Amino acid sequence: MKKILIYSFFLSSVISLWGCKKETYPGGQISPYIALYDIRNLYKGHGDVTLNTANMLGSTSIAAMVVSDHSGGNLPAGLLIVQDARRLSLLRGIAIPLGADAASYVPGDSVIIHVEGAVLKKVDGVLQLIGIKNSDIKKVSSGNAIPITIISSDKMIADPDAYESVLSVIAKGTFDPLPDSNAVLSGDRSLNDSYENITLHTEANAAFAQQKTVFNANYYGILFNNASGTNPEFRIRTGKDVQVLSSTIEVTPVIITGFMSDVKGGDGNYEYVQMMATTDIDFAATPYAVVVTNNANASTPTGYPSKGWATGDMRTYKFSLSKGKAARGSFFYVGGSGKTINGSGSTSMSSSNWIRAFDYTKNDGDGFGLKTGGLLANSGNAFGIAVFKDSTVTADSKPVDVVFIATGGSLYSSGKGYRIANTDFYDIKHPITQASQPFYRQGSNVRALSYNTADLGYFNMLGGVYNPSIGKWARVRLQKNVLLTKSSAITEIEGQGSTVLKTKD
């Protein structure tokens, strides 16, 4: 079983040997141990650096954790990989060429390594500590828990030096394009985690090279730079570093791509939600529903919503979508009958595809929700938007897409709350522990969009790339606040920066 601590700093048995902090105090002593963060920062890319007590500020050694495992035959031969988080709780790693002796160390070994006199050098793009012998390494203990951080692929690609030689996990990885059913791991494959595509490299002679690829998994591994300094590669260590999550492609038929929650001037009857169909939809044949929730302190019923999205009254408001059609890749709208882009007197959107629109200031919702002058909140506690593939919504209904703005209010407690979907923002099961977390603000489901300055006419554009062929976001939605005027054109909310539906390569 993997021993992991998520987002944490390891405390192993070497702590008793680490002594004083790096700072010096009257009567104090300089610690003999320097952080790998500081070691790596000594290398400026202009030539090799020999480590000495001067540039290491009196230190001579590192106290680190082994993360390399050569039993799978997929890591660069002869490299011992160690990491620590001694500086600012930031994990940093380093590669040490040790020859055959590198295989005698296993993940979880706590080691002290004398590095004085060693040379920092880039070899084939990987920063290494050259000149260290096996006799310079003291194993303090074994079987220690290893801290592992989820690192998104875009961060690895943007700053590979920061994540090189660190054991990390690429969560919810899917190959893009999808390989055929008989494909194996051997070679280079493009792995997508909804942030970027990164190269997953498997040596042809690795022990698990013929292991079948899977649709969706967590990949535990180590990032390595290459000589070109571009396109770093991620390598898992053994076949067990693939944690299978699912084998079924689930395409989200409707995705939320933006919303107007605060027009310039009075909001009543002018707020709207923008969505996109990822497949052709006839709403008469396949009805949907859009529900919004307002959790202001004055919204009744107060307290945690035992009926979730179906709470009604002043907490949730429903639009039933049972007429009209939306073509694959097209935008459509739900909201007030005003049908303008930015409130009263602004550009008409009546020619856009409005699947459901009525005056919510004068009419209660379709099935639940009281008429209101403000459908979507402008500040304060959280509000949310959810799409359901059914015209009936109950406490047990599971949405197909959800977004939330802000975090305040009575949102979740002991099974009472708003259900989420598996999206680029939320996970019904924790991506690492697989613990059930079907509600917003439960477990890792804490991501929220931000409120804009009120009464200026910002459209909240949620721009991303959705790929139906892999059933997920190839690029996560990012909130882009588009300041509209009364004469803004529809292209400002459907054009550059808006969500794109990816077609097959």
Side-chain angles (χ1 to χ4, degrees):
M1 179 183 295
K2 287 183 170 66
K3 297 180 179 179
I4 61 174
L5 295 175
I6 306 301
Y7 305 115
S8 62
F9 171 57
F10 75 89
L11 293 175
S12 71
S13 57
V14 302
I15 194 169
S16 62
L17 300 175
W18 283 356
C20 301
K21 294 181 180 179
K22 192 66 183 174
E23 295 84 352
T24 58
Y25 301 93
Q29 294 181 340
I30 295 175
S31 170
Y33 307 113
I34 186 172
L36 286 175
Y37 178 93
D38 298 320
I39 289 282
R40 293 190 69 94
N41 281 344
L42 292 174
Y43 186 82
K44 305 300 182 184
H46 307 306
D48 302 347
V49 178
T50 300
L51 301 182
N52 52 56
T53 54
N55 56 25
M56 292 192 292
L57 302 178
S59 298
T60 59
S61 304
I62 58 175
M65 190 78 75
V66 174
V67 294
S68 52
D69 185 343
H70 287 277
S71 65
N74 198 46
L75 299 185
L79 288 186
L80 175 67
I81 312 296
V82 298
Q83 68 182 34
D84 74 17
R86 292 179 60 84
R87 176 71 69 192
L88 304 174
S89 296
L90 294 173
L91 280 171
R92 291 294 185 268
I94 200 76
I96 301 172
L98 208 60
D101 288 328
S104 65
Y105 297 91
V106 297
D109 286 347
S110 182
V111 294
I112 293 175
I113 306 174
H114 185 82
V115 297
E116 184 181 9
V119 177
L120 271 175
K121 181 183 179 72
K122 277 210 171 183
V123 180
D124 296 328
V126 178
L127 188 60
Q128 301 182 17
L129 274 176
I130 309 294
I132 293 175
K133 305 180 295 294
N134 198 36
S135 58
D136 294 322
I137 303 174
K138 178 182 178 181
K139 184 190 295 185
V140 178
S141 62
S142 300
N144 296 284
I146 303 175
I148 303 177
T149 303
I150 295 176
I151 305 295
S152 58
S153 58
D154 61 328
K155 292 181 179 178
M156 291 185 180
I157 292 170
D159 190 5
D161 285 336
Y163 302 106
E164 180 185 77
S165 298
V166 169
L167 181 61
S168 54
V169 55
I170 294 178
K172 300 187 293 182
T174 302
F175 293 117
D176 184 16
L178 286 175
D180 62 49
S181 59
N182 294 317
V184 296
L185 288 173
S186 181
D188 289 339
R189 296 199 173 275
S190 182
L191 187 65
N192 180 276
D193 63 348
S194 293
Y195 290 88
E196 260 290 357
N197 283 14
I198 195 166
T199 299
L200 180 75
H201 176 80
T202 304
E203 293 283 291
N205 60 352
F208 53 90
Q210 297 306 305
Q211 183 171 310
K212 290 288 187 68
T213 58
V214 295
F215 164 64
N216 190 26
N218 293 330
Y219 292 84
Y220 295 79
I222 300 173
L223 185 74
F224 293 96
N225 276 307
N226 54 37
S228 69
T230 60
N231 193 28
E233 59 186 32
F234 192 78
R235 298 193 184 197
I236 60 175
R237 303 160 302 171
T238 72
K240 294 180 180 180
D241 281 340
V242 180
Q243 180 188 14
V244 180
L245 299 178
S246 65
S247 57
T248 304
I249 298 176
E250 296 182 359
V251 178
T252 303
V254 173
I255 51 180
I256 300 167
T257 56
F259 55 90
M260 171 56 84
S261 58
D262 189 10
V263 302
K264 179 68 174 176
D267 294 344
N269 201 32
Y270 292 106
E271 297 158 288
Y272 56 88
V273 179
Q274 180 197 71
M275 287 162 281
M276 177 182 284
T278 67
T279 186
D280 292 337
I281 300 175
D282 181 346
F283 290 99
T286 309
Y288 283 71
V290 172
V291 181
V292 299
T293 176
N294 186 330
N295 296 276
N297 292 330
S299 295
T300 55
T302 59
Y304 297 101
S306 59
K307 294 183 179 180
W309 292 100
T311 297
D313 202 343
M314 295 176 65
R315 289 292 289 275
T316 64
Y317 191 99
K318 181 166 79 77
F319 293 85
S320 293
L321 282 55
S322 57
K323 296 180 181 179
K325 296 180 180 180
R328 181 181 187 273
S330 68
F331 293 107
F332 67 91
Y333 296 86
V334 169
S337 59
K339 295 184 181 180
T340 61
I341 198 167
N342 188 19
S344 178
S346 66
T347 304
S348 174
M349 292 175 60
S350 59
S351 61
S352 297
N353 188 12
W354 289 83
I355 299 300
R356 183 70 168 132
F358 59 83
D359 190 343
Y360 53 80
T361 68
K362 299 178 181 178
N363 297 281
D364 293 340
D366 294 324
F368 56 79
L370 299 180
K371 60 185 178 181
T372 175
L375 189 67
L376 307 173
N378 299 331
S379 63
N381 289 342
F383 81 82
I385 305 167
V387 182
F388 296 85
K389 192 178 180 180
D390 198 334
S391 59
T392 300
V393 176
T394 70
D396 296 324
S397 296
K398 300 176 182 178
V400 297
D401 197 15
V402 179
V403 296
F404 269 94
I405 296 80
T407 61
S410 299
L411 302 174
Y412 170 75
S413 178
S414 303
K416 298 177 181 179
Y418 300 105
R419 292 187 181 275
I420 50 86
N422 286 322
T423 72
D424 49 342
F425 294 169
Y426 310 118
D427 299 288
I428 293 175
K429 290 185 177 181
H430 191 284
I432 301 299
T433 67
Q434 291 298 285
S436 179
Q437 49 174 46
F439 298 99
Y440 178 57
R441 303 304 296 173
Q442 182 184 21
S444 63
N445 294 321
V446 296
R447 184 172 177 181
L449 304 173
S450 302
Y451 281 111
N452 292 306
T453 303
D455 200 36
L456 294 181
Y458 278 105
F459 177 76
N460 296 264
M461 179 181 286
L462 305 181
V465 178
Y466 188 81
N467 187 348
S469 68
I470 59 176
K472 65 186 290 185
W473 290 89
R475 299 290 183 276
V476 297
R477 285 170 286 190
L478 298 176
Q479 183 179 10
K480 180 181 179 182
N481 303 318
V482 181
L483 184 58
L484 302 178
T485 67
K486 292 295 184 179
S487 59
S488 288
I490 190 69
T491 53
E492 294 184 44
I493 65 173
E494 292 186 356
Q496 185 176 4
S498 60
T499 284
V500 174
L501 195 67
K502 184 177 181 180
T503 57
K504 292 183 178 180
D505 296 326

